[in-house]
Amino acid sequence: LEEEKFHARQGHGFAAERANNLYDKITRHDAKIFGDNNALNGADRIVDGMEIQSKYCKTGSRCINECFSEDGKGVFRYYSQNGKPMQIEVPSDKYDAAVAAMEEKIKRGQVNGVTDPTEAKSIVRKGHFTYE
């Protein structure tokens, strides 16, 4: 059953993905769950044509570290079909910390094709819900 995912280790992420998707649909966006195909480094959702990877973790830095190989020490893993970084959706209450963490990753050269740390705000997307 699909609901069994909610009880798994990353269940809060699956729940957040669906809650954000429902919110986007209610607010008249073209939104659909896409990640159920389990494609490696693929999008979880597509909203108005934008590919989104959802990361709902206890801290903003953890949300961002999960997007990089080698537990945060390696390179960014999520790119859209156009070659640009995919948007990373994080809990609304972890957004500022996630942006700061992404800025550091960009400064360290861990995001291919991105050198300006201010671009972190266009990569990190504030989710409609908090972690709790």
Side-chain angles (χ1 to χ4, degrees):
L1 275 170
E2 188 170 301
E3 288 78 26
E4 287 302 313
K5 289 181 178 183
F6 299 152
H7 303 292
R9 183 178 69 82
Q10 295 174 316
H12 49 277
F14 291 116
E17 192 178 296
R18 277 151 176 76
N20 279 298
N21 194 64
L22 180 59
Y23 181 92
D24 286 333
K25 283 183 175 190
I26 289 169
T27 55
R28 298 183 181 251
H29 291 275
D30 179 17
K32 57 185 161 264
I33 298 288
F34 197 71
D36 286 346
N37 64 2
N38 292 321
L40 183 63
N41 300 329
D44 287 329
R45 304 186 317 116
I46 297 181
V47 179
D48 298 332
M50 180 78 58
E51 294 175 80
I52 299 169
Q53 174 63 221
S54 298
K55 294 294 181 189
Y56 269 65
C57 303
K58 285 187 178 189
T59 68
S61 61
R62 185 78 231 150
C63 293
I64 298 307
N65 280 340
E66 293 226 343
C67 299
F68 290 80
S69 62
E70 301 172 40
D71 199 34
K73 296 177 185 82
V75 295
F76 189 70
R77 301 183 300 132
Y78 298 104
Y79 289 90
S80 295
Q81 292 178 7
N82 65 8
K84 301 226 181 270
M86 200 176 290
Q87 282 199 329
I88 306 303
E89 185 174 64
V90 301
S92 58
D93 56 334
K94 310 297 179 191
Y95 175 77
D96 292 335
V99 168
M102 184 61 82
E103 287 171 348
E104 284 303 311
K105 301 288 189 191
I106 293 169
K107 287 177 189 174
R108 292 184 193 139
Q110 291 177 262
V111 184
N112 294 331
V114 180
T115 56
D116 182 357
T118 63
E119 287 191 48
K121 285 189 176 177
S122 65
I123 298 170
V124 180
R125 176 187 184 105
K126 191 179 212 177
H128 302 294
F129 303 95
T130 65
Y131 179 76
E132 290 304 318

mmCIF file with all atom_site columns, all heavy atoms in Angstrom, residues 44-64:
data_model
loop_
_atom_site.group_PDB
_atom_site.id
_atom_site.type_symbol
_atom_site.label_atom_id
_atom_site.label_alt_id
_atom_site.label_comp_id
_atom_site.label_asym_id
_atom_site.label_entity_id
_atom_site.label_seq_id
_atom_site.pdbx_PDB_ins_code
_atom_site.Cartn_x
_atom_site.Cartn_y
_atom_site.Cartn_z
_atom_site.occupancy
_atom_site.B_iso_or_equiv
_atom_site.pdbx_formal_charge
_atom_site.auth_seq_id
_atom_site.auth_comp_id
_atom_site.auth_asym_id
_atom_site.auth_atom_id
_atom_site.pdbx_PDB_model_num
ATOM 1   N N   . ASP A 1 44 ? 10.772 14.492 -7.683  1.00 0.00 ? 44 ASP A N   1
ATOM 2   C CA  . ASP A 1 44 ? 9.665  13.938 -6.907  1.00 0.00 ? 44 ASP A CA  1
ATOM 3   C C   . ASP A 1 44 ? 8.338  14.469 -7.427  1.00 0.00 ? 44 ASP A C   1
ATOM 4   O O   . ASP A 1 44 ? 7.339  13.764 -7.429  1.00 0.00 ? 44 ASP A O   1
ATOM 5   C CB  . ASP A 1 44 ? 9.785  14.336 -5.430  1.00 0.00 ? 44 ASP A CB  1
ATOM 6   C CG  . ASP A 1 44 ? 10.886 13.599 -4.712  1.00 0.00 ? 44 ASP A CG  1
ATOM 7   O OD1 . ASP A 1 44 ? 11.171 12.446 -5.068  1.00 0.00 ? 44 ASP A OD1 1
ATOM 8   O OD2 . ASP A 1 44 ? 11.466 14.191 -3.778  1.00 0.00 ? 44 ASP A OD2 1
ATOM 9   N N   . ARG A 1 45 ? 8.360  15.756 -7.814  1.00 0.00 ? 45 ARG A N   1
ATOM 10  C CA  . ARG A 1 45 ? 7.132  16.417 -8.261  1.00 0.00 ? 45 ARG A CA  1
ATOM 11  C C   . ARG A 1 45 ? 7.467  17.320 -9.432  1.00 0.00 ? 45 ARG A C   1
ATOM 12  O O   . ARG A 1 45 ? 8.605  17.737 -9.590  1.00 0.00 ? 45 ARG A O   1
ATOM 13  C CB  . ARG A 1 45 ? 6.542  17.302 -7.158  1.00 0.00 ? 45 ARG A CB  1
ATOM 14  C CG  . ARG A 1 45 ? 6.275  16.607 -5.887  1.00 0.00 ? 45 ARG A CG  1
ATOM 15  C CD  . ARG A 1 45 ? 5.543  17.421 -4.811  1.00 0.00 ? 45 ARG A CD  1
ATOM 16  N NE  . ARG A 1 45 ? 5.937  18.788 -4.596  1.00 0.00 ? 45 ARG A NE  1
ATOM 17  C CZ  . ARG A 1 45 ? 5.142  19.847 -4.804  1.00 0.00 ? 45 ARG A CZ  1
ATOM 18  N NH1 . ARG A 1 45 ? 3.925  19.689 -5.256  1.00 0.00 ? 45 ARG A NH1 1
ATOM 19  N NH2 . ARG A 1 45 ? 5.559  21.063 -4.540  1.00 0.00 ? 45 ARG A NH2 1
ATOM 20  N N   . ILE A 1 46 ? 6.443  17.621 -10.213 1.00 0.00 ? 46 ILE A N   1
ATOM 21  C CA  . ILE A 1 46 ? 6.567  18.629 -11.267 1.00 0.00 ? 46 ILE A CA  1
ATOM 22  C C   . ILE A 1 46 ? 5.421  19.607 -11.056 1.00 0.00 ? 46 ILE A C   1
ATOM 23  O O   . ILE A 1 46 ? 4.257  19.211 -10.997 1.00 0.00 ? 46 ILE A O   1
ATOM 24  C CB  . ILE A 1 46 ? 6.534  18.005 -12.669 1.00 0.00 ? 46 ILE A CB  1
ATOM 25  C CG1 . ILE A 1 46 ? 7.745  17.083 -12.833 1.00 0.00 ? 46 ILE A CG1 1
ATOM 26  C CG2 . ILE A 1 46 ? 6.533  19.102 -13.737 1.00 0.00 ? 46 ILE A CG2 1
ATOM 27  C CD1 . ILE A 1 46 ? 7.843  16.417 -14.177 1.00 0.00 ? 46 ILE A CD1 1
ATOM 28  N N   . VAL A 1 47 ? 5.760  20.896 -10.901 1.00 0.00 ? 47 VAL A N   1
ATOM 29  C CA  . VAL A 1 47 ? 4.771  21.947 -10.674 1.00 0.00 ? 47 VAL A CA  1
ATOM 30  C C   . VAL A 1 47 ? 4.981  23.022 -11.732 1.00 0.00 ? 47 VAL A C   1
ATOM 31  O O   . VAL A 1 47 ? 6.068  23.614 -11.819 1.00 0.00 ? 47 VAL A O   1
ATOM 32  C CB  . VAL A 1 47 ? 4.897  22.560 -9.264  1.00 0.00 ? 47 VAL A CB  1
ATOM 33  C CG1 . VAL A 1 47 ? 3.872  23.667 -9.067  1.00 0.00 ? 47 VAL A CG1 1
ATOM 34  C CG2 . VAL A 1 47 ? 4.731  21.488 -8.202  1.00 0.00 ? 47 VAL A CG2 1
ATOM 35  N N   . ASP A 1 48 ? 3.954  23.249 -12.538 1.00 0.00 ? 48 ASP A N   1
ATOM 36  C CA  . ASP A 1 48 ? 4.030  24.236 -13.614 1.00 0.00 ? 48 ASP A CA  1
ATOM 37  C C   . ASP A 1 48 ? 5.286  24.037 -14.460 1.00 0.00 ? 48 ASP A C   1
ATOM 38  O O   . ASP A 1 48 ? 5.970  24.992 -14.839 1.00 0.00 ? 48 ASP A O   1
ATOM 39  C CB  . ASP A 1 48 ? 3.976  25.661 -13.053 1.00 0.00 ? 48 ASP A CB  1
ATOM 40  C CG  . ASP A 1 48 ? 2.668  25.953 -12.330 1.00 0.00 ? 48 ASP A CG  1
ATOM 41  O OD1 . ASP A 1 48 ? 1.643  25.337 -12.692 1.00 0.00 ? 48 ASP A OD1 1
ATOM 42  O OD2 . ASP A 1 48 ? 2.670  26.786 -11.406 1.00 0.00 ? 48 ASP A OD2 1
ATOM 43  N N   . GLY A 1 49 ? 5.630  22.779 -14.727 1.00 0.00 ? 49 GLY A N   1
ATOM 44  C CA  . GLY A 1 49 ? 6.775  22.451 -15.558 1.00 0.00 ? 49 GLY A CA  1
ATOM 45  C C   . GLY A 1 49 ? 8.116  22.443 -14.836 1.00 0.00 ? 49 GLY A C   1
ATOM 46  O O   . GLY A 1 49 ? 9.130  22.088 -15.418 1.00 0.00 ? 49 GLY A O   1
ATOM 47  N N   . MET A 1 50 ? 8.145  22.830 -13.564 1.00 0.00 ? 50 MET A N   1
ATOM 48  C CA  . MET A 1 50 ? 9.381  22.892 -12.780 1.00 0.00 ? 50 MET A CA  1
ATOM 49  C C   . MET A 1 50 ? 9.589  21.569 -12.050 1.00 0.00 ? 50 MET A C   1
ATOM 50  O O   . MET A 1 50 ? 8.707  21.103 -11.323 1.00 0.00 ? 50 MET A O   1
ATOM 51  C CB  . MET A 1 50 ? 9.281  24.029 -11.760 1.00 0.00 ? 50 MET A CB  1
ATOM 52  C CG  . MET A 1 50 ? 10.499 24.194 -10.878 1.00 0.00 ? 50 MET A CG  1
ATOM 53  S SD  . MET A 1 50 ? 11.883 25.013 -11.650 1.00 0.00 ? 50 MET A SD  1
ATOM 54  C CE  . MET A 1 50 ? 11.162 26.564 -12.125 1.00 0.00 ? 50 MET A CE  1
ATOM 55  N N   . GLU A 1 51 ? 10.775 20.964 -12.248 1.00 0.00 ? 51 GLU A N   1
ATOM 56  C CA  . GLU A 1 51 ? 11.107 19.719 -11.559 1.00 0.00 ? 51 GLU A CA  1
ATOM 57  C C   . GLU A 1 51 ? 11.553 20.032 -10.133 1.00 0.00 ? 51 GLU A C   1
ATOM 58  O O   . GLU A 1 51 ? 12.362 20.933 -9.910  1.00 0.00 ? 51 GLU A O   1
ATOM 59  C CB  . GLU A 1 51 ? 12.224 18.991 -12.305 1.00 0.00 ? 51 GLU A CB  1
ATOM 60  C CG  . GLU A 1 51 ? 11.792 18.515 -13.682 1.00 0.00 ? 51 GLU A CG  1
ATOM 61  C CD  . GLU A 1 51 ? 12.935 17.910 -14.445 1.00 0.00 ? 51 GLU A CD  1
ATOM 62  O OE1 . GLU A 1 51 ? 13.260 16.730 -14.178 1.00 0.00 ? 51 GLU A OE1 1
ATOM 63  O OE2 . GLU A 1 51 ? 13.507 18.626 -15.282 1.00 0.00 ? 51 GLU A OE2 1
ATOM 64  N N   . ILE A 1 52 ? 11.003 19.290 -9.175  1.00 0.00 ? 52 ILE A N   1
ATOM 65  C CA  . ILE A 1 52 ? 11.250 19.549 -7.755  1.00 0.00 ? 52 ILE A CA  1
ATOM 66  C C   . ILE A 1 52 ? 11.632 18.258 -7.042  1.00 0.00 ? 52 ILE A C   1
ATOM 67  O O   . ILE A 1 52 ? 10.994 17.220 -7.233  1.00 0.00 ? 52 ILE A O   1
ATOM 68  C CB  . ILE A 1 52 ? 9.993  20.141 -7.084  1.00 0.00 ? 52 ILE A CB  1
ATOM 69  C CG1 . ILE A 1 52 ? 9.615  21.470 -7.746  1.00 0.00 ? 52 ILE A CG1 1
ATOM 70  C CG2 . ILE A 1 52 ? 10.211 20.315 -5.581  1.00 0.00 ? 52 ILE A CG2 1
ATOM 71  C CD1 . ILE A 1 52 ? 8.254  21.978 -7.325  1.00 0.00 ? 52 ILE A CD1 1
ATOM 72  N N   . GLN A 1 53 ? 12.639 18.340 -6.214  1.00 0.00 ? 53 GLN A N   1
ATOM 73  C CA  . GLN A 1 53 ? 13.040 17.249 -5.327  1.00 0.00 ? 53 GLN A CA  1
ATOM 74  C C   . GLN A 1 53 ? 12.684 17.702 -3.915  1.00 0.00 ? 53 GLN A C   1
ATOM 75  O O   . GLN A 1 53 ? 13.107 18.769 -3.471  1.00 0.00 ? 53 GLN A O   1
ATOM 76  C CB  . GLN A 1 53 ? 14.545 16.992 -5.451  1.00 0.00 ? 53 GLN A CB  1
ATOM 77  C CG  . GLN A 1 53 ? 15.109 15.982 -4.495  1.00 0.00 ? 53 GLN A CG  1
ATOM 78  C CD  . GLN A 1 53 ? 14.561 14.590 -4.657  1.00 0.00 ? 53 GLN A CD  1
ATOM 79  O OE1 . GLN A 1 53 ? 14.300 13.936 -3.654  1.00 0.00 ? 53 GLN A OE1 1
ATOM 80  N NE2 . GLN A 1 53 ? 14.384 14.108 -5.869  1.00 0.00 ? 53 GLN A NE2 1
ATOM 81  N N   . SER A 1 54 ? 11.906 16.935 -3.183  1.00 0.00 ? 54 SER A N   1
ATOM 82  C CA  . SER A 1 54 ? 11.496 17.293 -1.819  1.00 0.00 ? 54 SER A CA  1
ATOM 83  C C   . SER A 1 54 ? 12.436 16.663 -0.808  1.00 0.00 ? 54 SER A C   1
ATOM 84  O O   . SER A 1 54 ? 12.714 15.472 -0.878  1.00 0.00 ? 54 SER A O   1
ATOM 85  C CB  . SER A 1 54 ? 10.072 16.817 -1.541  1.00 0.00 ? 54 SER A CB  1
ATOM 86  O OG  . SER A 1 54 ? 9.160  17.442 -2.407  1.00 0.00 ? 54 SER A OG  1
ATOM 87  N N   . LYS A 1 55 ? 12.908 17.481 0.133   1.00 0.00 ? 55 LYS A N   1
ATOM 88  C CA  . LYS A 1 55 ? 13.778 16.995 1.206   1.00 0.00 ? 55 LYS A CA  1
ATOM 89  C C   . LYS A 1 55 ? 13.252 17.555 2.525   1.00 0.00 ? 55 LYS A C   1
ATOM 90  O O   . LYS A 1 55 ? 13.420 18.731 2.817   1.00 0.00 ? 55 LYS A O   1
ATOM 91  C CB  . LYS A 1 55 ? 15.236 17.431 0.998   1.00 0.00 ? 55 LYS A CB  1
ATOM 92  C CG  . LYS A 1 55 ? 15.895 16.820 -0.208  1.00 0.00 ? 55 LYS A CG  1
ATOM 93  C CD  . LYS A 1 55 ? 16.049 15.324 -0.059  1.00 0.00 ? 55 LYS A CD  1
ATOM 94  C CE  . LYS A 1 55 ? 16.728 14.698 -1.263  1.00 0.00 ? 55 LYS A CE  1
ATOM 95  N NZ  . LYS A 1 55 ? 16.686 13.256 -1.228  1.00 0.00 ? 55 LYS A NZ  1
ATOM 96  N N   . TYR A 1 56 ? 12.577 16.725 3.283   1.00 0.00 ? 56 TYR A N   1
ATOM 97  C CA  . TYR A 1 56 ? 12.028 17.128 4.576   1.00 0.00 ? 56 TYR A CA  1
ATOM 98  C C   . TYR A 1 56 ? 12.811 16.432 5.682   1.00 0.00 ? 56 TYR A C   1
ATOM 99  O O   . TYR A 1 56 ? 12.564 15.271 5.987   1.00 0.00 ? 56 TYR A O   1
ATOM 100 C CB  . TYR A 1 56 ? 10.530 16.809 4.653   1.00 0.00 ? 56 TYR A CB  1
ATOM 101 C CG  . TYR A 1 56 ? 9.689  17.971 4.173   1.00 0.00 ? 56 TYR A CG  1
ATOM 102 C CD1 . TYR A 1 56 ? 9.745  18.397 2.858   1.00 0.00 ? 56 TYR A CD1 1
ATOM 103 C CD2 . TYR A 1 56 ? 8.876  18.673 5.055   1.00 0.00 ? 56 TYR A CD2 1
ATOM 104 C CE1 . TYR A 1 56 ? 9.005  19.484 2.421   1.00 0.00 ? 56 TYR A CE1 1
ATOM 105 C CE2 . TYR A 1 56 ? 8.133  19.763 4.624   1.00 0.00 ? 56 TYR A CE2 1
ATOM 106 C CZ  . TYR A 1 56 ? 8.196  20.158 3.303   1.00 0.00 ? 56 TYR A CZ  1
ATOM 107 O OH  . TYR A 1 56 ? 7.463  21.240 2.896   1.00 0.00 ? 56 TYR A OH  1
ATOM 108 N N   . CYS A 1 57 ? 13.793 17.146 6.235   1.00 0.00 ? 57 CYS A N   1
ATOM 109 C CA  . CYS A 1 57 ? 14.677 16.611 7.267   1.00 0.00 ? 57 CYS A CA  1
ATOM 110 C C   . CYS A 1 57 ? 14.621 17.504 8.499   1.00 0.00 ? 57 CYS A C   1
ATOM 111 O O   . CYS A 1 57 ? 14.096 18.612 8.448   1.00 0.00 ? 57 CYS A O   1
ATOM 112 C CB  . CYS A 1 57 ? 16.109 16.545 6.747   1.00 0.00 ? 57 CYS A CB  1
ATOM 113 S SG  . CYS A 1 57 ? 16.286 15.578 5.235   1.00 0.00 ? 57 CYS A SG  1
ATOM 114 N N   . LYS A 1 58 ? 15.205 17.015 9.606   1.00 0.00 ? 58 LYS A N   1
ATOM 115 C CA  . LYS A 1 58 ? 15.144 17.749 10.882  1.00 0.00 ? 58 LYS A CA  1
ATOM 116 C C   . LYS A 1 58 ? 15.859 19.089 10.850  1.00 0.00 ? 58 LYS A C   1
ATOM 117 O O   . LYS A 1 58 ? 15.523 19.975 11.616  1.00 0.00 ? 58 LYS A O   1
ATOM 118 C CB  . LYS A 1 58 ? 15.732 16.900 12.008  1.00 0.00 ? 58 LYS A CB  1
ATOM 119 C CG  . LYS A 1 58 ? 14.819 15.796 12.462  1.00 0.00 ? 58 LYS A CG  1
ATOM 120 C CD  . LYS A 1 58 ? 15.372 15.109 13.690  1.00 0.00 ? 58 LYS A CD  1
ATOM 121 C CE  . LYS A 1 58 ? 14.393 14.039 14.135  1.00 0.00 ? 58 LYS A CE  1
ATOM 122 N NZ  . LYS A 1 58 ? 14.720 13.471 15.417  1.00 0.00 ? 58 LYS A NZ  1
ATOM 123 N N   . THR A 1 59 ? 16.874 19.238 10.006  1.00 0.00 ? 59 THR A N   1
ATOM 124 C CA  . THR A 1 59 ? 17.600 20.509 9.919   1.00 0.00 ? 59 THR A CA  1
ATOM 125 C C   . THR A 1 59 ? 17.716 20.941 8.462   1.00 0.00 ? 59 THR A C   1
ATOM 126 O O   . THR A 1 59 ? 17.682 20.109 7.551   1.00 0.00 ? 59 THR A O   1
ATOM 127 C CB  . THR A 1 59 ? 19.019 20.399 10.515  1.00 0.00 ? 59 THR A CB  1
ATOM 128 O OG1 . THR A 1 59 ? 19.803 19.553 9.675   1.00 0.00 ? 59 THR A OG1 1
ATOM 129 C CG2 . THR A 1 59 ? 19.003 19.868 11.938  1.00 0.00 ? 59 THR A CG2 1
ATOM 130 N N   . GLY A 1 60 ? 17.897 22.237 8.279   1.00 0.00 ? 60 GLY A N   1
ATOM 131 C CA  . GLY A 1 60 ? 18.072 22.758 6.929   1.00 0.00 ? 60 GLY A CA  1
ATOM 132 C C   . GLY A 1 60 ? 19.326 22.219 6.273   1.00 0.00 ? 60 GLY A C   1
ATOM 133 O O   . GLY A 1 60 ? 19.318 21.881 5.083   1.00 0.00 ? 60 GLY A O   1
ATOM 134 N N   . SER A 1 61 ? 20.407 22.117 7.035   1.00 0.00 ? 61 SER A N   1
ATOM 135 C CA  . SER A 1 61 ? 21.653 21.612 6.456   1.00 0.00 ? 61 SER A CA  1
ATOM 136 C C   . SER A 1 61 ? 21.510 20.137 6.062   1.00 0.00 ? 61 SER A C   1
ATOM 137 O O   . SER A 1 61 ? 22.042 19.713 5.041   1.00 0.00 ? 61 SER A O   1
ATOM 138 C CB  . SER A 1 61 ? 22.839 21.822 7.393   1.00 0.00 ? 61 SER A CB  1
ATOM 139 O OG  . SER A 1 61 ? 22.648 21.138 8.603   1.00 0.00 ? 61 SER A OG  1
ATOM 140 N N   . ARG A 1 62 ? 20.751 19.357 6.843   1.00 0.00 ? 62 ARG A N   1
ATOM 141 C CA  . ARG A 1 62 ? 20.524 17.948 6.489   1.00 0.00 ? 62 ARG A CA  1
ATOM 142 C C   . ARG A 1 62 ? 19.723 17.845 5.185   1.00 0.00 ? 62 ARG A C   1
ATOM 143 O O   . ARG A 1 62 ? 19.997 16.991 4.345   1.00 0.00 ? 62 ARG A O   1
ATOM 144 C CB  . ARG A 1 62 ? 19.784 17.241 7.634   1.00 0.00 ? 62 ARG A CB  1
ATOM 145 C CG  . ARG A 1 62 ? 19.606 15.761 7.414   1.00 0.00 ? 62 ARG A CG  1
ATOM 146 C CD  . ARG A 1 62 ? 20.883 15.002 7.714   1.00 0.00 ? 62 ARG A CD  1
ATOM 147 N NE  . ARG A 1 62 ? 21.158 14.144 6.564   1.00 0.00 ? 62 ARG A NE  1
ATOM 148 C CZ  . ARG A 1 62 ? 22.362 13.761 6.156   1.00 0.00 ? 62 ARG A CZ  1
ATOM 149 N NH1 . ARG A 1 62 ? 23.429 14.127 6.800   1.00 0.00 ? 62 ARG A NH1 1
ATOM 150 N NH2 . ARG A 1 62 ? 22.519 13.009 5.113   1.00 0.00 ? 62 ARG A NH2 1
ATOM 151 N N   . CYS A 1 63 ? 18.730 18.715 5.022   1.00 0.00 ? 63 CYS A N   1
ATOM 152 C CA  . CYS A 1 63 ? 17.946 18.739 3.784   1.00 0.00 ? 63 CYS A CA  1
ATOM 153 C C   . CYS A 1 63 ? 18.873 18.918 2.582   1.00 0.00 ? 63 CYS A C   1
ATOM 154 O O   . CYS A 1 63 ? 18.709 18.247 1.558   1.00 0.00 ? 63 CYS A O   1
ATOM 155 C CB  . CYS A 1 63 ? 16.937 19.893 3.793   1.00 0.00 ? 63 CYS A CB  1
ATOM 156 S SG  . CYS A 1 63 ? 15.611 19.773 4.998   1.00 0.00 ? 63 CYS A SG  1
ATOM 157 N N   . ILE A 1 64 ? 19.837 19.810 2.720   1.00 0.00 ? 64 ILE A N   1
ATOM 158 C CA  . ILE A 1 64 ? 20.759 20.100 1.622   1.00 0.00 ? 64 ILE A CA  1
ATOM 159 C C   . ILE A 1 64 ? 21.796 18.989 1.469   1.00 0.00 ? 64 ILE A C   1
ATOM 160 O O   . ILE A 1 64 ? 22.075 18.543 0.345   1.00 0.00 ? 64 ILE A O   1
ATOM 161 C CB  . ILE A 1 64 ? 21.416 21.474 1.818   1.00 0.00 ? 64 ILE A CB  1
ATOM 162 C CG1 . ILE A 1 64 ? 20.347 22.576 1.820   1.00 0.00 ? 64 ILE A CG1 1
ATOM 163 C CG2 . ILE A 1 64 ? 22.475 21.734 0.747   1.00 0.00 ? 64 ILE A CG2 1
ATOM 164 C CD1 . ILE A 1 64 ? 19.402 22.588 0.626   1.00 0.00 ? 64 ILE A CD1 1
#
